Amino acid sequence: MAVLRYQRIVMHVMLVCMAALSTVDAAARPLFHWRKLSALVKEEPLVLKYHNGPLLTTTPTLNLHLIWYGNFSSAQRAIVADFVQSLGMESGKQGFPSVFTWWKTTEAYRGSVPSQINQAKPLTRRLGKQKLDEAYSLGKSLKRSDIAVLVKSAMQSRALAPPQKKKSNGEVELYLVLTSGDVMVENFCSSSCGFHGSDKADIEYAYAWVGNSATQCPGQCAWPFHQPIYGPQSPPLLPPNGDVGIDGMIINIAATIVGAVTNPFKSGYFQGDAAAPLEAVSACPGKYGSGAYPGYAGKLLVDETTGASYNAHGVNGRTFLLPAMWDPTSRSCKTLV
């Protein structure tokens, strides 16, 4: 199961930077700048290799279904729903960076198989069905394997559309389980803020999970909207939708679903071990705007009224903060601003 360790990688980078800082003469430390660390650490070329497997970036229509597990307010659900809808339509803000523009980078992940390249078309992305599980049907302490159980149960009850072998319009289903802040999930916070995996019904399908870290580990999974548990302790940014937990989830949802479409079955685009890969977003940890370095998210847009930081416009007047994504065309981490 492909594991998303995006926020943990951010913390690791900060620790590496702190170790480098400790080697600098104490008298010189006040003048030491994080951006100069590149002179101390040799960076390996960043290349995500394509492993010849199927991709969800080449399907005409992607339906993203949501399972809300636990206690979410209607306002919180609306933020996430607006984000998902923003993947498939422009925000109406001409000339401004958008969620739609950010997602279009995934269309460059086309593989090397001629049939996939020929079939690659601009994706239609849609918010699919939503299921509320406010009764905590599997309890408040979940194993990672329980995520797949929740998805399969929702399919069997017809609450969510099951995957089908052949659809005339080329639709593909992707399932996202979201757990509230009072739900503990195996390895949550300790090694993961979210993950994606696959299972099989009539055909193999992809699913993903992201948890709300607001009360459990915001320093690990909601940075830069909360101070990190390690590294530089700069003031946290104000979240664009006024909810540290949900705005943090948006970052991890974005990272996880990009991983799910570019490496759905552990044979797509990644670097390193297939069991713990660096993927499209996790390969670019801690980068949200130009000039980013450990402890600094980069140059971002700031709302003049609220002071909140963001880099993407969405539907219904929403704004979001989205992570950098590795761009196969430029072979580099790409930010919106």
Side-chain angles (χ1 to χ4, degrees):
M1 185 177 292
V3 180
L4 173 66
R5 291 190 175 92
Y6 179 71
Q7 296 286 2
R8 194 183 184 196
I9 293 172
V10 175
M11 297 299 109
H12 176 72
V13 170
M14 289 181 177
L15 286 174
V16 170
C17 293
M18 291 175 70
L21 180 58
S22 68
T23 67
V24 180
D25 184 82
R29 285 180 188 173
L31 300 178
F32 189 83
H33 200 282
W34 292 100
R35 281 178 284 190
K36 295 180 180 178
L37 282 169
S38 58
L40 301 177
V41 181
K42 182 180 179 181
E43 293 186 6
E44 294 294 326
L46 180 61
V47 177
L48 300 189
K49 181 182 177 182
Y50 175 54
H51 294 77
N52 300 314
L55 305 169
L56 302 188
T57 58
T58 59
T59 57
T61 302
L62 180 69
N63 298 316
L64 184 54
H65 305 283
L66 306 179
I67 298 176
W68 299 94
Y69 190 88
N71 182 26
F72 289 94
S73 69
S74 58
Q76 290 176 324
R77 296 197 299 269
I79 294 169
V80 176
D82 283 346
F83 169 70
V84 173
Q85 292 187 82
S86 298
L87 298 172
M89 63 181 71
E90 276 288 11
S91 64
K93 289 272 189 178
Q94 293 292 332
F96 288 87
S98 66
V99 176
F100 180 80
T101 302
W102 177 82
W103 181 265
K104 283 187 72 67
T105 298
T106 64
E107 295 178 20
Y109 287 76
R110 296 188 175 187
S112 59
V113 181
S115 62
Q116 287 187 322
I117 295 175
N118 293 336
Q119 292 173 5
K121 299 177 182 178
L123 281 173
T124 297
R125 309 95 177 168
R126 298 192 304 208
L127 175 62
K129 293 183 178 181
Q130 302 184 57
K131 178 185 178 181
L132 303 184
D133 189 342
E134 297 174 304
Y136 304 87
S137 60
L138 297 182
K140 292 188 176 182
S141 181
L142 305 181
K143 295 180 179 179
R144 292 170 70 87
S145 58
D146 287 332
I147 303 303
V149 172
L150 289 170
V151 173
K152 189 163 289 187
S153 175
M155 290 179 191
Q156 292 172 345
S157 68
R158 296 293 175 174
L160 301 184
Q164 298 180 26
K165 289 184 178 180
K166 291 184 179 180
K167 283 192 174 184
S168 58
N169 57 0
E171 290 184 32
V172 170
E173 320 301 328
L174 176 61
Y175 307 92
L176 177 61
V177 178
L178 303 171
T179 52
S180 58
D182 57 345
V183 177
M184 294 184 292
V185 178
E186 181 182 7
N187 293 337
F188 185 31
C189 298
S190 64
S191 65
S192 180
C193 302
F195 68 83
H196 68 87
S198 63
D199 205 345
K200 194 166 185 178
D202 291 335
I203 60 172
E204 195 169 19
Y205 61 88
Y207 64 86
W209 160 79
V210 171
N212 187 334
S213 67
T215 58
Q216 296 187 48
C217 55
Q220 289 173 287
C221 295
W223 186 83
F225 302 128
H226 191 281
Q227 286 187 309
I229 57 174
Y230 306 115
Q233 296 296 303
S234 54
L237 304 179
L238 293 178
N241 295 286
D243 189 317
V244 169
I246 295 297
D247 279 299
M249 287 185 79
I250 293 295
I251 292 172
N252 294 313
I253 290 170
T256 307
I257 62 175
V258 167
V261 300
T262 60
N263 186 32
F265 309 120
K266 297 191 290 188
S267 57
Y269 281 87
F270 63 89
Q271 183 186 78
D273 187 348
L278 286 181
E279 298 180 322
V281 172
S282 60
C284 305
K287 298 180 179 180
Y288 298 89
S290 60
Y293 55 86
Y296 173 60
K299 185 179 180 181
L300 303 173
L301 302 175
V302 178
D303 187 285
E304 294 181 356
T305 302
T306 66
S309 297
Y310 67 98
N311 61 9
H313 288 269
V315 300
N316 297 325
R318 297 277 190 194
T319 54
F320 302 97
L321 184 64
L322 302 180
M325 189 190 313
W326 188 77
D327 183 0
T329 303
S330 65
R331 295 198 164 199
S332 64
C333 292
K334 180 179 179 181
T335 59
L336 283 172
V337 294

